[in-house]
Amino acid sequence: MANRIEMLKHGIRATIRYEIARSLNLGRGAAFLVLALFPPAITAIICRLPGAPPTMIPIGVTSLVVCVLANLVWSTSAVSGELEGKTWAYLAARPGGRIASMIGKYIVSVGWTALVTLSALTISIAVQALLVPTGDELRLWLIFASCGLIACFAYASIYTLLGTIFHRRAMVAAVVHTGVFELMIGWIPGIIQYATVRGPLVHLAVIGLVDKEVLEDPNFTLVFGEPNVIGHLISVVCLTIVALLASLWLIRTREYATTQEV
Amino acid sequence: MIEFEGVTKFYKTVIGVNDLTFRLGTGAFGLLGPNGSGKTTLLNLILGQLRPTMGSVKVFGVDPWRDESILRRIGYCPASELLLPNVSAREWVTYQTEMVGFSRTAAAELAERALRDVGLPPAAAERPIGGYSLGMRQRTKLAQAIAHRPDLLILDEPFNGLDPVGRHEMNELLTGYLADGRSVLLASHVLHEVEVIRPEFLLISGGRLLASGSPAEVRRLLIDLPNEIQLQVDDAARVAERLVATGLVDSLKVIDRQHLTVMTRESGKLLEYFPRLAAEGWPVRRLGTLDESLQDLFTMLMRRHRGEI
């Protein structure tokens, strides 16, 4: 058993190294720049509008969008990318190769998406601080950065699961899921929100952003519910862990022989 | 080493392999069959990538589907093309070797040795695989399979894209591998590629095992089967008339004015008749039999399996 764990650790480390080396290319660099600069550009435009409306919500939303997009591109393809690239057969023929590869890829995609999300957020807040300083930038950054990091782990595991289940149409499945769950169900005030990442994260961000008096206002609780930080956190963490464990179980027990190999 | 007991694999309603039972010990084995015959399904069952619908598979005494650790003793070179645009052979083989459980340093050393063994020049090993020729990609694929010195090497169509020199080097490498007391299972649809390692072989078609054993053992299965003989004569139609008249011929086909093919279960008697035929003014200019090589053996088994003979 210890030997197997050691083997798995080697595999995960090797995958991380390999995936990082492979991802350091012009394409990834260009995608990174586009994603990281899109929220600051929106922030700059808003700051230039007459009357300089508050940029807090656009910064939060665009950073979340960046996190979702980055994960769509980099997390969904854990299995489908290997199958399309015909390298799956090599990984699957290694002891623990499938699991080590998935965990390694998950860690790397979380790393990349966290980097791009935090870069986008940091530059956006710096832009705001330069153009319309409020003096509250650090608090804003801490709240959004915490939510952004949680979102990176959560979306990465959900998209990894979707890519594992629908490996032939991974991206389509991920986009449909995002549309249905994150854009539609995520807005429904009710327990069904906990099936999404966006729902609990928005609650967490709001709890961090508004004053204590507002949180206790009955009108506020009518819309956002009780300010239950632990509950929202547990919900996102559980969703992340369940999705990740389901991916690992699937990848270990599912037969991914391609049509060509049959 | 490998035990299949009544193994059947379905892909929904399509059958991959059908009721396979065989045992393979240490040594060289050729897995032969036309494209789509179930070779890769069989290999995937050995590698634990597929779970048999029925029956049991054991490799080195364990079920490879349940116990992946057995893969450490196996090296696999798939048939699928290797398409990695921005990774060098050295990086990739090192990565694949690390995935077996070796440390980075050990994996790098093993990868370097394997790349040298397959004859990939060091300068080429540093270039991205995407720019390689087909032969270089084959060598890279083989290097990742042998780098960790597995007890069993499984090669699926390993000669694809190799030039004659490459084929010779590959043969040398496999022969050396076998001389070390290790095993090789080589799958191909081209028989002469498999023959070079002088294997016991398995003939598979339509997911079924047609025959197994040494070439001599399989040949014994063919005793009652008609032999096909090709003749070149001066006038094929006239010679055909005479051959039919002997009663030694099961069937006969005139190819053109000078060539004909004869199916017979009495090839010895037919050969004795040819001097008489020559004396009558119809000499056989050239005689060829399709049953002299393993390829013909394979063809005959396939035809018997299809019910053609």
Side-chain angles (χ1 to χ4, degrees):
Chain A
M1 189 64 184
N3 192 26
R4 283 183 199 180
I5 291 169
E6 200 55 39
M7 210 181 278
L8 198 62
K9 277 200 242 169
H10 273 300
I12 293 168
R13 276 200 294 266
T15 305
I16 292 171
R17 257 196 306 268
Y18 175 76
E19 288 294 326
I20 289 174
R22 201 166 70 145
S23 61
L24 294 174
N25 57 50
L26 276 177
R28 181 69 66 105
F32 185 95
L33 277 180
V34 170
L35 288 169
L37 296 179
F38 149 67
I42 300 284
T43 307
I45 292 167
I46 292 171
C47 287
R48 291 288 183 197
L49 288 175
T55 55
M56 187 171 68
I57 292 173
I59 287 177
V61 171
T62 51
S63 299
L64 192 64
V65 168
V66 164
C67 175
V68 171
L69 289 176
N71 266 305
L72 267 175
V73 177
W74 295 326
S75 303
T76 313
S77 57
V79 175
S80 61
E82 298 295 340
L83 286 170
E84 278 171 23
K86 296 180 180 176
T87 45
W88 179 257
Y90 300 93
L91 289 172
R94 307 290 164 188
R98 289 176 282 188
I99 286 176
S101 165
M102 171 167 280
I103 295 174
K105 279 165 168 276
Y106 175 76
I107 291 169
V108 172
S109 66
V110 167
W112 269 106
T113 50
L115 194 63
V116 73
T117 305
L118 293 182
S119 301
L121 177 66
T122 308
I123 302 168
S124 300
I125 289 177
V127 167
Q128 184 208 280
L130 279 172
L131 299 176
V132 193
T134 60
D136 200 25
E137 283 84 9
L138 183 60
R139 191 172 73 98
L140 194 67
W141 187 88
L142 283 173
I143 292 164
F144 283 151
S146 311
C147 290
L149 277 178
I150 296 168
C152 289
F153 281 94
Y155 282 119
S157 66
I158 287 170
Y159 290 145
T160 300
L161 175 62
L162 290 169
T164 308
I165 298 170
F166 306 102
H167 58 92
R168 290 185 207 276
R169 294 280 182 276
M171 194 58 82
V172 175
V175 170
V176 169
H177 172 272
T178 307
V180 173
F181 278 80
E182 300 300 316
L183 294 181
M184 290 160 68
I185 293 174
W187 285 106
I188 300 171
I191 200 154
I192 196 164
Q193 273 196 348
Y194 291 108
T196 72
V197 178
R198 198 198 65 85
L201 277 184
V202 167
H203 281 95
L204 285 170
V206 168
I207 291 167
L209 289 169
V210 301
D211 297 331
K212 199 179 174 190
E213 295 77 43
V214 179
L215 287 177
E216 288 164 358
D217 187 329
N219 290 328
F220 180 85
T221 53
L222 197 66
V223 178
F224 286 97
E226 292 299 319
N228 182 359
V229 175
I230 300 294
H232 294 313
L233 271 177
I234 287 175
S235 144
V236 184
V237 170
C238 283
L239 194 64
T240 307
I241 292 172
V242 167
L244 202 55
L245 290 178
S247 305
L248 292 172
W249 179 78
L250 267 176
I251 209 159
R252 176 64 188 88
T253 56
R254 201 167 178 186
E255 296 172 335
Y256 284 99
T258 63
T259 312
Q260 187 197 356
E261 285 169 336
V262 172
Chain B
M1 184 176 68
I2 299 172
E3 291 173 45
F4 272 54
E5 192 66 49
V7 174
T8 297
K9 176 65 191 172
F10 279 101
Y11 299 100
K12 292 180 185 163
T13 55
V14 179
I15 198 156
V17 294
N18 189 359
D19 196 23
L20 294 184
T21 299
F22 61 85
R23 284 177 181 215
L24 305 179
T26 307
F29 302 94
L31 177 61
L32 290 166
N35 290 328
S37 58
K39 296 191 298 291
T40 306
T41 297
L42 194 152
L43 298 185
N44 276 325
L45 286 163
I46 294 171
L47 291 161
Q49 304 310 311
L50 295 175
R51 187 180 202 169
T53 313
M54 283 181 273
S56 76
V57 177
K58 292 270 171 64
V59 180
F60 295 116
V62 301
D63 178 351
W65 173 261
R66 292 183 187 280
D67 188 355
E68 278 195 335
S69 65
I70 200 67
L71 293 172
R72 190 167 183 159
R73 297 179 67 186
I74 302 175
Y76 177 46
C77 179
S80 57
E81 191 60 88
L82 186 58
L83 304 164
L84 291 166
N86 59 348
V87 181
S88 75
R90 183 182 305 285
E91 275 176 280
W92 190 68
V93 176
T94 304
Y95 167 51
Q96 291 295 329
T97 312
E98 277 185 279
M99 292 295 279
V100 183
F102 289 96
S103 70
R104 174 84 175 156
T105 319
E109 282 171 14
L110 290 169
E112 192 174 332
R113 191 179 67 181
L115 287 164
R116 198 173 50 236
D117 288 348
V118 298
L120 197 71
E126 302 298 339
R127 294 207 317 263
I129 294 170
Y132 283 5
S133 66
L134 196 55
M136 286 163 81
R137 287 203 290 270
Q138 283 297 111
R139 287 165 199 262
T140 308
K141 279 164 59 177
L142 184 64
Q144 63 79 34
I146 63 169
H148 59 290
R149 307 297 290 169
D151 295 322
L152 168 63
L153 185 57
I154 298 177
L155 309 169
D156 196 356
E157 308 283 359
F159 294 94
N160 281 354
L162 288 182
D163 56 22
V165 176
R167 281 165 189 263
H168 175 72
E169 287 170 359
M170 173 81 87
N171 293 342
E172 294 283 302
L173 195 140
L174 295 181
T175 308
Y177 211 83
L178 288 162
D180 282 352
R182 297 169 198 271
S183 299
V184 173
L185 174 57
L186 201 160
S188 177
H189 65 283
V190 183
L191 192 105
H192 67 84
E193 292 180 347
V194 182
E195 277 181 300
V196 293
I197 58 167
R198 304 183 186 286
E200 299 262 318
F201 63 93
L202 305 168
L203 295 180
I204 184 172
S205 178
R208 278 191 170 277
L209 195 61
L210 297 179
S212 65
S214 66
E217 283 169 333
V218 175
R219 205 177 282 277
R220 248 176 261 140
L221 296 171
L222 297 170
I223 284 172
D224 293 332
L225 293 179
N227 292 320
E228 192 168 293
I229 298 171
Q230 291 178 327
L231 303 176
Q232 185 188 340
V233 293
D234 295 334
D235 187 331
R238 292 292 175 84
V239 171
E241 278 173 27
R242 278 158 177 77
L243 290 177
V244 170
T246 62
L248 298 172
V249 177
D250 289 347
S251 67
L252 186 147
K253 188 177 177 184
V254 176
I255 310 292
D256 56 36
R257 247 193 91 180
Q258 292 189 314
H259 296 91
L260 69 158
T261 304
V262 177
M263 292 290 283
T264 177
R265 289 166 205 269
E266 309 273 0
S267 51
K269 288 182 183 169
L270 194 68
L271 292 176
E272 286 169 13
Y273 174 68
F274 288 155
R276 240 179 82 190
L277 197 63
E280 289 171 16
W282 307 108
V284 175
R285 304 287 178 194
R286 185 173 292 173
L287 184 148
T289 165
L290 291 176
D291 299 318
E292 288 303 313
S293 72
L294 278 175
Q295 179 64 58
D296 307 321
L297 199 65
F298 178 68
T299 308
M300 292 293 280
L301 281 168
M302 288 293 298
R303 291 176 66 181
R304 186 174 75 164
H305 180 69
R306 290 190 198 120
E308 292 172 8
I309 52 176

